[in-house]
Amino acid sequence: MTAVRLSFAWERLRAVLPDPAGLVAMTRTPRRDLVAGLTVAIVALPLALGFGISSGMGAESALATTIVAGALAAFFGGSRVQVSGTSGAMTVILIPIMSTHGPSGVLAVGVLAGLLLIVLALARAGRCIALVPAPVVAGFTVGVACVIGLQQLPTALGVPASGHDKVAVVAWHALLDFLARPHWWAMSVTIAVAAVLLVGASLRPTVPFSLLVVVVTAVVAETAELPLARIGTLPTGLPAPSLGFLDAAVLPSLVGPAVAVAALAALESLLSASVTDGMTRGPRHDPDRELFGQGVANLVAPMFGGMPGTGAMVRTAVNVRAGARSRLAALSHAGILAAIVYAGAELVSKIPLAALAGVLLATSIRMIEVGTVRALFRSTRSDAVVLVLTAVATLILDTVLAIVVGLVVAGALALRQLARNTRLDPEPLRHEEHLQHTEDEHALLAEHIVTYRLAGPLFFAAAHRFLRELSAVTGVSVVVLRMSRVTGIDASGALVLGDAIERLERRGILVYVSGIPDGHHQPLEALGVIARLSEAGQVFATTTEAIAAARDRLHNTGVLPRLAG
């Protein structure tokens, strides 16, 4: 038994380890991948710096994540062109963790989240991402974009953040502080940088305006000695790996935040990889392997001081558009970024925070796909409701809880719609169903026998409406339930069906059942719904047989005279 378990565990592990074919592919187009890696590194630098500062972990932590986690996720991940690192959504969820547990708590959460992601990968949970509806994803994106934009308000206005874990409160206090002590330089720089990026991206989407604008702003600010806050001193290399931040006494209190971080990392990474599949040709991503890669990345990055990271849609899209064909592009992005940062740490330290705020403000605006949002609003009222509720929950609650809210609401609305598809329709008798009787005989049978067709799923959401409609049947001797078009039955539906049959029989109405589809017998038999009817000979394969049996039963009991057959 032990050998079998070890063999099973090894098979699971081997399934998520890097595919040799994917590693060999890195040798096919090295020049193209290196150019793509350089392009992504240029775009990623200001984003990483901005997200690190916004989270409270600092620029050095974000750079460690981008380099270490970016390289490990590229090597072990399930997508050949995915680029990982810091992200806006992850920054949003890290702020309350940072305010409650401090930097060491964030690092510990990253390690725990990494372990959880590895467990999810081994459990083959990656394919569950397909269950997330499009309105939930769109609402989540809109909500995160709003949160990122509001996070930049204190820096953009040149005032200190209040330290509150609710971004709307922080933004409100920042606005009040600014009105009391206006700081026009910071606001002007933020607006100018954001405007240039938005206009430049629409006119020349292939030009890395973010880095160019940040560099120009830094040069002008230093030359003119503008009163703007700077990034500050950065280390010239990665620290030695350490687990000194782990404290066994506080780990239990970090399990909840770790679950939230792991859930977000899984969701964002797999959504990004799924979107990327539609932008590229070739093999699709492996969701379980992607979870494993993100798990390894988040497990190791905190040892070097890196905050939790995830697959980043913005950087991945840039990577694809730059011509990436293999993992070499994402790997080289991490290496190139390390060389740029640590060779020019002194120059990077002089970048104004207001410039990074402008970069993130523009990023938040570009995150919202207006066309997708408009299409979902025009689709159905349910889609619009789910989108709005998810976005609002993201803004006022937290990211993972917002997704849960969106899934619950979407599920409830879907069940409501599905329940509406369950129908109980009376159907008139057809002559061929009772052996071609005369018109008078047909009319006589129709006075005593009524058939009802059940169509659609018979499950808990539709059960009570079904019970109410069927129990209201009056004025007949026999009810024939035609079930050939039932698409599914759960325990609740089976129990309600049995209850309805008992209510009819208590009123002296015989019940016959016909056409139970293959595969739907189990819940009916397990709950004893049709056992008694089967013993009484009231369950048939076809409606014609059921009506013939009902006719004979009514004749034998004297309800009907003998009809010609």
Side-chain angles (χ1 to χ4, degrees):
M1 181 64 70
T2 302
V4 173
R5 289 177 179 176
L6 289 175
S7 176
F8 177 76
W10 167 243
E11 289 298 323
R12 283 289 180 92
L13 180 60
R14 189 171 65 175
V16 296
L17 289 175
D19 181 11
L23 301 179
V24 172
M26 292 192 296
T27 63
R28 294 174 184 162
T29 56
R31 181 176 179 181
R32 191 164 190 160
D33 287 329
L34 290 173
V35 171
L38 175 61
T39 304
V40 177
I42 292 173
V43 173
L45 177 57
L47 290 176
L49 295 172
F51 287 138
I53 293 170
S54 293
S55 70
M57 289 293 291
E60 61 275 12
S61 178
L63 293 174
T65 300
T66 303
I67 295 168
V68 177
L72 291 173
F75 184 81
F76 288 100
S79 172
R80 57 195 171 89
V81 292
Q82 176 97 287
V83 180
S84 300
T86 57
S87 73
M90 187 62 74
T91 299
V92 172
I93 205 171
L94 291 180
I95 290 176
I97 300 175
M98 177 68 181
S99 64
T100 303
H101 301 284
S104 62
V106 172
L107 298 180
V109 163
V111 171
L112 295 177
L115 292 173
L116 288 173
L117 288 168
I118 292 174
V119 171
L120 289 174
L122 296 176
R124 298 180 179 177
R127 289 165 181 79
C128 294
I129 191 64
L131 302 177
V132 180
V136 175
V137 176
F140 173 74
T141 303
V142 171
V144 168
C146 294
V147 172
I148 293 173
L150 291 175
Q151 283 177 347
Q152 309 318 307
L153 205 55
T155 304
L157 299 178
V159 299
S162 65
H164 200 281
D165 60 353
K166 296 299 182 184
V167 66
V169 177
V170 173
W172 174 249
H173 285 299
L175 182 59
L176 294 179
D177 290 345
F178 173 78
L179 294 176
R181 297 179 300 277
H183 189 83
W184 299 106
W185 276 113
M187 185 178 68
S188 301
V189 169
T190 299
I191 294 176
V193 170
V196 170
L197 292 182
L198 292 174
V199 174
S202 62
L203 298 178
R204 294 287 188 273
T206 59
V207 177
F209 281 102
S210 57
L211 183 63
L212 294 176
V213 173
V214 167
V215 169
V216 170
T217 304
V219 171
V220 172
E222 284 297 304
T223 303
E225 298 182 354
L226 298 179
L228 296 170
R230 309 298 204 273
I231 289 178
T233 304
L234 292 174
T236 57
L238 288 173
S242 171
L243 288 173
F245 53 84
L246 289 179
D247 184 354
V250 299
L251 285 181
S253 65
L254 298 177
V255 172
V259 171
V261 168
L264 180 60
L267 177 68
E268 189 169 9
S269 298
L270 294 179
L271 284 177
S272 174
S274 298
V275 173
T276 305
D277 285 341
M279 301 171 61
T280 61
R281 296 179 181 178
R284 298 178 65 84
H285 78 284
D286 185 315
D288 296 324
R289 193 169 282 157
E290 181 64 25
L291 287 182
F292 183 78
Q294 296 297 331
V296 172
N298 281 286
L299 178 64
V300 177
M303 302 179 189
F304 295 89
M307 55 196 279
T310 179
M313 186 65 243
V314 174
R315 274 162 274 188
T316 301
V318 171
N319 193 37
V320 172
R321 295 190 186 107
R325 292 292 182 271
S326 74
R327 302 170 188 272
L328 181 60
L331 283 168
S332 61
H333 135 269
I336 293 169
L337 193 57
I340 292 174
V341 171
Y342 297 126
E346 184 177 353
L347 296 176
V348 174
S349 66
K350 299 182 183 301
I351 295 176
L353 297 180
L356 296 179
V359 172
L360 296 186
L361 183 61
T363 301
S364 67
I365 295 174
R366 293 171 60 187
M367 282 178 65
I368 301 176
E369 299 180 1
V370 178
T372 300
V373 173
R374 185 184 294 115
L376 289 173
F377 265 97
R378 292 176 177 175
S379 176
T380 65
R381 183 177 299 176
S382 297
D383 289 337
V385 169
V386 172
L387 190 155
V388 171
L389 286 180
T390 305
V392 172
T394 304
L395 185 60
I396 65 177
L397 299 175
D398 65 63
T399 51
V400 175
L401 187 56
I403 294 173
V404 173
V405 169
L407 290 175
V408 170
V409 174
L413 292 174
L415 287 175
R416 179 188 176 195
Q417 182 62 36
L418 195 60
R420 289 178 175 176
N421 293 332
T422 302
R423 297 169 56 191
L424 178 69
D425 298 324
E427 293 190 342
L429 293 179
R430 299 195 300 269
H431 279 283
E432 62 269 18
E433 290 178 329
H434 45 89
L435 308 179
Q436 298 292 337
H437 293 297
T438 65
E439 291 293 338
D440 291 341
E441 293 169 340
H442 172 78
L444 184 59
L445 281 173
E447 290 179 2
H448 293 275
I449 301 175
V450 63
T451 64
Y452 280 88
R453 181 180 293 281
L454 280 166
L458 184 58
F459 71 132
F460 70 94
H464 295 292
R465 180 170 60 86
F466 163 77
L467 174 63
R468 185 175 61 252
E469 293 181 11
L470 188 57
S471 300
V473 176
T474 58
V476 296
S477 301
V478 176
V479 169
V480 178
L481 297 179
R482 309 179 66 173
M483 299 183 63
S484 60
R485 295 183 185 176
V486 172
T487 57
I489 304 176
D490 68 357
S492 298
L495 289 173
V496 167
L497 177 62
D499 190 9
I501 292 173
E502 290 180 3
R503 293 190 184 192
L504 291 172
E505 291 181 331
R506 283 198 299 267
R507 289 160 43 203
I509 299 175
L510 294 172
V511 178
Y512 286 75
V513 179
S514 69
I516 301 175
D518 294 338
H520 296 341
H521 290 79
Q522 182 175 351
L524 296 174
E525 293 174 353
L527 296 170
V529 173
I530 61 171
R532 184 173 46 78
L533 294 181
S534 296
E535 293 174 359
Q538 294 171 223
V539 178
F540 296 90
T542 67
T543 304
T544 299
E545 294 173 313
I547 293 175
R551 179 202 61 184
D552 292 340
R553 181 76 171 269
L554 293 176
H555 164 72
N556 292 334
T557 57
V559 175
L560 289 177
R562 180 172 296 277
L563 301 176

